Amino acid sequence: MAVAEAQTDQAEPKRLGVVNQLIRFVLIGGGCAVIDFGTYSLMLGVLGWPVWLSRGISFILGTSASYLINRKLTFQGANTGNTKAKAGGFALVYIVTFFVNWGTNQLLVMMTGAEGTPWLVTLCWIVGQGLGTLINFVMLKWVVFRD
């Protein structure tokens, strides 16, 4: 009996608690934010692209990396059940998040006149990113990848 129980325990991956998932999500999100902000800065500061376009492209790149990594390392529920539906749910969450994140960034840039002031543009990006991260974790954890 003990051997059968031990084999069953080994077959199921260890479930992460909410705190561990949040820690992983934040660490992975930090790495993806580097991709996002690096791309944003490059397009905005070096290439001279407009804020709205730079923010849109950088968000897509950071989000794609986030999906691929979090799916494997953070949310065990990502690989169970209908994975196509979960990918669709993820896409829907990130479409909403995109408009919240991008819209917050645009609104703050316009309200503060931040364009041309690097530290203020960065602050607008941070506020939009923080709001998006909060929405993402809650929706991914309890709606899309629920265990």
Side-chain angles (χ1 to χ4, degrees), residues 12-114:
E12 287 185 31
K14 184 179 176 189
R15 298 175 74 87
L16 295 173
V18 173
V19 172
N20 285 334
Q21 284 180 323
L22 181 59
I23 290 169
R24 285 185 184 201
F25 188 80
V26 168
L27 291 174
I28 291 166
C32 294
V34 169
I35 293 169
D36 185 334
F37 188 72
T39 304
Y40 180 62
S41 297
L42 176 71
M43 289 185 215
L44 192 62
V46 177
L47 300 177
W49 292 7
V51 169
W52 66 270
L53 181 61
S54 301
R55 187 67 195 110
I57 293 170
S58 70
F59 179 86
I60 291 168
L61 292 175
T63 297
S64 298
S66 174
Y67 172 73
L68 294 171
I69 299 168
N70 275 310
R71 184 170 173 255
K72 294 286 185 200
L73 300 178
T74 304
F75 300 110
Q76 290 87 6
N79 297 317
T80 61
N82 187 341
T83 55
K84 287 182 182 178
K86 289 181 181 191
F90 180 88
L92 183 60
V93 167
Y94 271 88
I95 287 168
V96 169
T97 302
F98 170 78
F99 286 108
V100 169
N101 192 323
W102 181 85
T104 300
N105 187 73
Q106 281 298 112
L107 182 63
L108 291 174
V109 165
M110 288 178 5
M111 287 175 54
T112 62

